[in-house]
Amino acid sequence: MSDFILETVDLTKEFKGFAAVSDVNLKIRRGHIHALIGPNGAGKTTVFNLLTKFLPPTRGTIRFEGKDITHEAPAATARRGLVRSFQISATFPHLTVMENVRIGLQRKLGTAFHFWRSDKSLDVLNDRAMALLEDVDLAGFADTVTGEMPYGRKRALEIATTLALEPTMMLLDEPTQGMGQEDIARVVDLIRKVSANRTILMVEHNLSVVANLCDRITVLQRGSMLAEGSYDEVSKNPQVLEAYVGSDDMADAHH
């Protein structure tokens, strides 16, 4: 069993001759929280879209758990346990928080349960759903209509519905985007908690979150890998600092 759960070799995506992602070689260590950072337009989201099969690469290889999944269908990759947080968990705003988690659990079960069946057949899922809500500190919101929840709590629900799919590796796209300090702190704690026994790859703009949370960091610039290492190593790298010039992110995160 390799130490690396996910590896890419020369992963490249060109749009009309423009390389959005160019020869990216990622090695994500099993059990790590790994961050993908870089200025806007660096190709972070494109990398995510390639890993989750939303986009086919122009060239290069993606290996997950030692298997070449480069040309696999998105659903097949998700079934292997590589799951992106909003991918399956676009929540239904008019349903309660509990109902949303149950739908995630039904997806995991496949055709065994259908939500047009009587509520009785879904009671089986209630205990598991409640346990997941407790994991993400949403037990008190179980009967709240999802659309009425505060923004930060909705992100926690997205994570809960993703956890319902029992991912081995979870991809989180900007998990703290648009949040105030209090919500950010809560989501950071949550990510740390759910990272037990799984690997997390996250795209994150907030560098103090990255500094606090991540074992390893890959910096992208203009679609290419600029640097990789611990936050300390990366934040002292002159090329990285230069890439972030004009944005005081790096400096801010240090204080």
Side-chain angles (χ1 to χ4, degrees):
M1 204 60 147
S2 159
D3 283 347
F4 299 110
I5 187 169
L6 182 79
E7 299 180 65
T8 66
V9 181
D10 298 339
L11 193 60
T12 299
K13 180 64 183 177
E14 292 167 357
F15 295 103
K16 300 193 176 76
F18 162 74
V21 170
S22 183
D23 293 325
V24 166
N25 295 291
L26 282 178
K27 280 180 176 314
I28 312 292
R29 203 172 275 283
R30 192 178 300 280
H32 266 189
I33 303 180
H34 194 119
L36 209 49
I37 69 169
N40 279 335
K44 305 180 296 286
T45 303
T46 306
V47 168
F48 259 30
N49 285 333
L50 291 168
L51 294 178
T52 51
K53 314 331 242 327
F54 278 37
L55 283 173
T58 306
R59 61 177 178 275
T61 312
I62 304 167
R63 298 179 77 80
F64 180 65
E65 300 269 23
K67 300 199 172 55
D68 184 338
I69 61 162
T70 316
H71 301 292
E72 196 170 67
T77 294
R79 276 196 298 274
R80 285 184 188 277
L82 177 61
V83 183
R84 182 174 182 166
S85 93
F86 70 74
Q87 175 177 349
I88 307 196
S89 56
T91 50
F92 298 97
H94 57 286
L95 296 181
T96 67
V97 168
M98 175 78 149
E99 286 166 335
N100 266 300
V101 176
R102 274 197 332 199
I103 287 170
L105 290 167
Q106 286 161 245
R107 286 209 170 97
K108 182 69 187 168
L109 291 171
T111 53
F113 293 90
H114 296 288
F115 43 97
W116 57 85
R117 287 251 191 110
S118 77
D119 279 348
K120 288 271 187 297
S121 69
L122 290 177
D123 288 348
V124 176
L125 301 178
N126 287 349
D127 295 347
R128 176 87 184 100
M130 208 59 203
L132 279 169
L133 288 177
E134 274 159 18
D135 280 350
V136 300
D137 291 332
L138 289 180
F141 288 88
D143 298 322
T144 305
V145 172
T146 301
E148 292 166 9
M149 279 221 300
Y151 179 73
R153 299 291 194 160
K154 281 185 187 148
R155 300 308 302 258
L157 175 59
E158 282 171 27
I159 290 175
T161 52
T162 306
L163 289 175
L165 298 163
E166 295 172 21
T168 358
M169 180 164 175
M170 210 166 164
L171 279 72
L172 301 176
D173 202 354
E174 300 279 359
T176 68
Q177 195 175 23
M179 284 186 189
Q181 251 351 93
E182 187 186 336
D183 275 338
I184 288 175
R186 193 183 282 126
V187 169
V188 166
D189 286 345
L190 173 55
I191 293 169
R192 194 174 280 122
K193 185 175 175 183
V194 305
S195 69
N197 309 320
R198 60 175 59 86
T199 308
I200 293 180
L201 176 63
M202 58 196 283
V203 166
E204 179 54 76
H205 268 114
N206 184 322
L207 292 174
S208 60
V209 167
V210 171
N212 270 314
L213 199 54
C214 297
D215 300 296
R216 199 161 180 80
I217 291 143
T218 301
V219 187
L220 290 183
Q221 186 188 27
R222 292 196 285 277
S224 298
M225 282 173 67
L226 183 64
E228 194 170 74
S230 67
Y231 185 80
D232 265 3
E233 292 165 335
V234 160
S235 62
K236 293 188 178 90
N237 180 319
Q239 284 179 291
V240 173
L241 290 166
E242 198 178 319
Y244 273 96
V245 165
S247 82
D248 298 319
D249 289 352
M250 273 287 167
D252 289 348
H254 260 289
H255 304 309

